[in-house]
Amino acid sequence: MEKTWNNRAWFLVLPVLLLVAFSAIIPLMTVVNYSVQDTFGNNVFFWAGLDWFQELLHSPRFWQALARNLVFSGIILAIEVPLGILIALNMPKAGWGVPVCLVLMALPLLIPWNVVGMIWQVFGRVDIGLLGKTLSLLGVDYNYVQDPVDAWITIIVMDVWHWTSLVVLLCYAGLVSIPDAYYQAAKIDGASGWSVFRYIQLPKMHRVLLIAVLLRFMDSFMIYTEPFVITGGGPGNETTFLSIDLVKMAVGQFDLGPAAAMSLVYFLIVMLVSWVFYTVMTNYGQES
Amino acid sequence: MLELRNITKLAGAETHISDVSLKLERGTLNVLLGPTLSGKTSLMRLMAGLDKPNSGTLHFDGVDVTGVAPQKRDIAMVFQQFINYPTMTVYENIASPMRVAGADRKTIDDAVQRAANLMKLTPYLQRMPLNLSGGQQQRCALARAIVKNAGLVLLDEPLANLDYKLREELRAELPRIFAEAGTIFVYATTEPSEALLLGGNTATLSAGRVTQFGKTIDVFRKPNDLVTARTFSDPPLNTIVMRKSGNNLSLDGGMAFPVPAHLGDVPDGIYTVGFQPHHLSLSPAGAAPVSIRARVIAMEITGSESFVHLSYADVRWVMLTPGIRKFETDETVEVFLDPQLLMVFDGQGRSVTNHAPLAA
């Protein structure tokens, strides 16, 4: 077939190119620009080459923050995915309970991040918080401001409270799309409850679970607002995740070069891990 | 023998199955024929034990099984959707009912190979069901039903989602495969032609009731009532309301003809007269054909037959005639009807020509 060239067609693509340029490419290039230069303000720049990247990759501060992020995301996935599946399996499939459950599940998702942070910050306070005060009255030694373990537990419980609903809703959508005939066939075969889950429900939820894991990984890996509001990265640096460290460096210390280098590395890690997740899980889906 | 005694099933305020009694013998093929929502699936679910009837009892070989769970009932069921376990190979899918039953490896392997061979699935045994065509997926589900060797096999419109050719092929094979095992074979369908092709017995369903049960050909030829006749006719049954007085059957201001012999002792009154689309013809047939001048509304041509939609005295009829015919819309054509073939129903819709009692 003969191709016809029409250069005017480029005009139709132009708005999208401009939009993407201003929203993504130009800001990203600015960051790239900062990451290879040094500045003391006043628009005076010195060429720094890859120095900032070298410094970053040799700094224990960066590796510690990265390790915290990975551990945090791992814990979040290990709790929220099984818990989400469990709740979705036990939600009603028909009747008045469905809208009630769906609204209850959607509520935490509607609350802004910083508000969630504030809620738990107050909720957990030992002097006035419902949770903190109750626990200390019961004799439990709980104080997220001083104890790193308590701080981690608070942030994890808060994230589970905030985001398990997302996994639940996705899984529930997968579950209700299973035709009733599957359950009837399994019943006639005499399949056990576990078999029904393993061979019907799990395979049918596979696709939405992939999306849920991906979303929860990316989101938990980029967590910022909640620990910033609750602990501010403390006690010490115990809850200083990459994003918090980044903001400290850029805004607190005004080290724009190192912060830019860190942003790029952070960005690449998120991209890479998400890509690996996606590839592995879609391949797994095709095999089975 | 499976026996249903006065089964009624309610769902909320709605009645899904209303006072159904049936006796299905071993080694027979039984068709449940009825339009969508007539209760075919509900009745099958009751037979399978997936639902419990609100009243009435179910007996299998004389034993009351009304409350018994489906897995303890020795049944197999195939659905309209292609239901297989998505993460198991075709082999494992077919083997699954036997694995649950705890059979040994040799027995399972023999049964799976035999069923796969019958369903022409041998080359695909190591494939995943979702990588197969629709026909192969349904054959996999059918093979699962075969290996179970159940006493009662329920097929709920199993061929509805398959393409034409495969449907014909499987429809011919299925009764043979299951008949060998001496099972009770129940087959639900919405298509009258499918019931006729399958043969055996047919129970016609309408609004949750079994309107007639008997040999398929008898139900088709001698329906007990208008509802059964309508259910068992595709294209729709042609009807017209006529008056019988003395020896004359007439339409006010329209056709009139002598009452055919088989209606001789019917009292005078208003009756609904029905006849099948192929009973109308373009050339006279029978002993005393009635000539009718009707207007053509539309034409439909299949490969070797023509459906002519006609309007006569404000009612619509369909004529099924062999060969390809060409008529213009609004053209008036002369068609013939043999009064000997008429089915006549009284004001309550009961047949006055066929008094066979409803089989219990």
Side-chain angles (χ1 to χ4, degrees), chain A residues 179-182 184-191 198-200 203-204 287-288, chain B residues 45 50 70-71 75 77 79 81-88 96 100 144 148:
Chain A
D180 204 32
Y182 275 92
Q184 293 169 19
K187 221 172 178 181
I188 289 170
D189 282 354
R198 170 69 185 79
Y199 295 110
I200 297 174
K204 289 273 166 187
E287 280 161 28
S288 57
Chain B
R45 290 176 59 104
L50 291 164
Q71 65 266 29
I75 49 171
M77 190 162 178
F79 301 84
Q81 298 116 313
F82 313 139
I83 306 294
N84 294 297
Y85 297 108
T87 54
M88 292 185 187
S96 62
V100 173
R144 282 216 338 267
K148 250 194 133 175

Side-chain angles (χ1 to χ4, degrees), chain B residues 144-358:
Chain B
R144 282 216 338 267
I146 292 172
V147 295
K148 250 194 133 175
N149 216 354
L152 175 63
V153 175
L154 302 164
L155 305 184
D156 191 358
E157 298 187 50
L159 309 181
N161 290 355
L162 296 181
D163 64 76
Y164 185 70
K165 248 206 136 99
L166 202 61
R167 191 155 47 163
E168 302 244 296
E169 212 178 288
L170 278 175
R171 184 161 49 213
E173 279 176 43
L174 281 179
R176 195 174 47 75
I177 290 165
F178 286 100
E180 281 170 14
T183 52
I184 301 170
F185 185 89
V186 183
Y187 189 108
T189 181
T190 55
E191 298 171 37
S193 58
E194 194 159 47
L196 287 166
L197 284 164
L198 284 165
N201 304 318
T202 291
T204 46
L205 269 93
S206 175
R209 286 175 187 279
V210 171
T211 58
Q212 193 169 346
F213 178 60
K215 278 188 147 333
T216 302
I217 197 69
D218 293 344
V219 178
F220 177 69
R221 289 230 177 101
K222 293 172 188 157
N224 282 336
D225 49 33
L226 194 54
V227 177
T228 306
R230 283 193 202 279
T231 307
F232 214 148
S233 181
D234 176 47
L237 188 77
N238 295 321
T239 56
I240 191 159
V241 179
M242 297 186 87
R243 176 189 299 279
K244 179 183 182 287
S245 59
N247 199 27
N248 230 20
L249 203 55
S250 65
L251 185 72
D252 291 337
M255 63 174 175
F257 49 84
V259 175
H262 69 295
L263 298 174
D265 51 357
V266 174
D268 287 0
I270 306 285
Y271 292 96
T272 301
V273 172
F275 52 95
Q276 297 289 343
H278 65 270
H279 288 156
L280 279 175
S281 57
L282 288 165
S283 52
V290 178
S291 162
I292 300 164
R293 296 188 67 79
R295 190 166 56 84
V296 176
I297 301 171
M299 290 284 305
E300 284 171 302
I301 296 167
T302 68
S304 56
E305 293 167 328
S306 305
F307 292 97
V308 187
H309 294 257
L310 300 165
S311 169
Y312 175 74
D314 291 335
V315 287
R316 287 187 65 161
W317 288 343
V318 183
M319 171 170 68
L320 174 61
T321 180
I324 294 168
R325 309 281 174 168
K326 283 253 189 296
F327 294 112
E328 297 299 319
T329 307
D330 285 331
E331 186 183 338
T332 304
V333 289
E334 186 180 26
V335 293
F336 297 93
L337 176 64
D338 181 359
Q340 296 294 334
L341 300 169
L342 291 182
M343 297 181 272
V344 180
F345 305 95
D346 66 14
Q348 276 81 48
R350 285 189 304 256
S351 172
V352 295
T353 41
N354 175 33
H355 292 290
L358 190 73

